[in-house]
């Protein structure tokens, strides 16, 4: 069923670069003298992002990168943009030390089996002070079950929310803390409640198109949260499939042997198997999720290889 979308009225000082799922969206703010970019995608798409920014900045300096959080699909272009344009980088405060030391374990690149080019930050986002982006003040909203250190940005004047991975048009990012036995569902509930109270006119998610109907998205997100929360194995299974699909989006095609070798080295799938599916061994668990991805049309076997399907 197709639905006609009313065009979204965004201020002229901002532009959304909708990227897909391997790379997060980027938002380019231009206040007339300098450009800021929010989030920079996955590392393998960094050369494309550098080209896009070169075109969009129209001779103005790229002064600043701001990251909503430090997952590999949101900061992967930081290093390439910094090498090319010398912007400053602002990150949420929670993982500052891990970034400075480039601790890939704490930054969860090792645990997820994802890559990120090393960068360093210049400033920390102050959770108590609005950020100035594109001539507007944006309140910084902390938290969420996907990543407790994540920052969302809300313009009260325009009633626009940059929601990162806390709210998508149909869902939200994997609730990673729960996989490790920490709390995440309650935090996800809290951030959805906060967004409900703001009732934004437009939501710019970390992935997928910007959308106007925040009420419908929130309803879907609450339902999804209830579904996951009532049986945490569902969250674990979903996380495992997301991690496999994400890797497949990057490598495009693989032998099953290479896939097994890759995930045997990453913590999250081993953790998911031990905590949630102890009766399966890791390889069996992975095979069953690959089968589910194939049945769902997200991957296919051909010529002895597993291929990504968009
Ligand atoms: Zn994320």
């Amino acid at each position: 069923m197709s639905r006609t979308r009313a065009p979204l009225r965004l201020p002229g000082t901002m532009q959304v670069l909708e990227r897909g799922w391997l790379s997060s969206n980027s938002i380019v703010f231009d206040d007339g003298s300098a450009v800021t970019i929010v989030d920079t995608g996955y590392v393998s798409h960094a050369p494309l992002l550098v080209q896009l920014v070169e075109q969009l900045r129209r001779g103005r300096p790229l002064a600043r990168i701001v990251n909503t959080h430090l997952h590999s699909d949101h900061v992967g272009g930081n290093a390439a943009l910094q090498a090319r344009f010398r912007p400053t980088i602002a990150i949420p405060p929670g993982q500052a030390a891990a970034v400075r030391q480039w601790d890939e374990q704490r930054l969860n690149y090792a645990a997820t089996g994802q890559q990120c080019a090393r960068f360093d930050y210049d400033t920390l986002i102050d959770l108590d002070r609005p950020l100035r982006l594109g001539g507007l003040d944006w309140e910084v909203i902390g938290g969420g079950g996907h990543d407790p250190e994540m920052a969302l940005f809300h313009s009260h004047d325009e009633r626009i929310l940059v929601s990162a991975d806390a709210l998508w048009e149909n869902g939200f990012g994997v609730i990673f803390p729960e996989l490790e036995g920490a709390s995440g569902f309650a935090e996800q509930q809290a951030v959805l409640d906060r967004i409900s109270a703001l009732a934004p006119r437009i939501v710019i998610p970390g992935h997928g198109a910007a959308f106007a109907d925040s009420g419908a998205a929130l309803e879907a997100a609450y339902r999804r949260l209830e579904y996951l929360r009532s049986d945490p194995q569902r969250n674990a299974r979903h996380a495992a499939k997301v991690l496999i699909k994400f890797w497949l989006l990057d490598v495009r095609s693989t032998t099953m042997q290479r896939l097994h070798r890759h995930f045997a080295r990453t913590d999250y799938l081993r953790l998911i198997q031990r905590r949630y599916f102890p009766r399966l061994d890791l390889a069996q668990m992975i095979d069953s999720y690959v089968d589910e991805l194939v049945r769902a049309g997200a991957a296919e076997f051909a010529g002895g290889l597993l291929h990504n399907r968009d």
Side-chain angles (χ1 to χ4, degrees), residues 69 71 73-74 146 165:
H69 62 307
H71 286 167
D73 53 332
H74 292 254
H146 170 68
D165 293 344

Side-chain angles (χ1 to χ4, degrees), residues 146-157:
H146 170 68
D147 178 346
E149 317 297 349
M150 190 162 66
L152 285 56
F153 310 126
H154 181 256
S155 159
H156 290 278
D157 292 338

Side-chain angles (χ1 to χ4, degrees), residues 293-304:
L293 289 171
V294 168
R295 279 202 302 276
E300 67 183 340
F301 283 108

Side-chain angles (χ1 to χ4, degrees), residues 19 23 39 56 99 104 115 155 157 189 236:
R19 302 295 297 285
S23 277
D39 286 346
L56 288 171
V99 169
E104 299 211 7
Q115 317 266 326
S155 159
D157 292 338
Q189 170 92 36

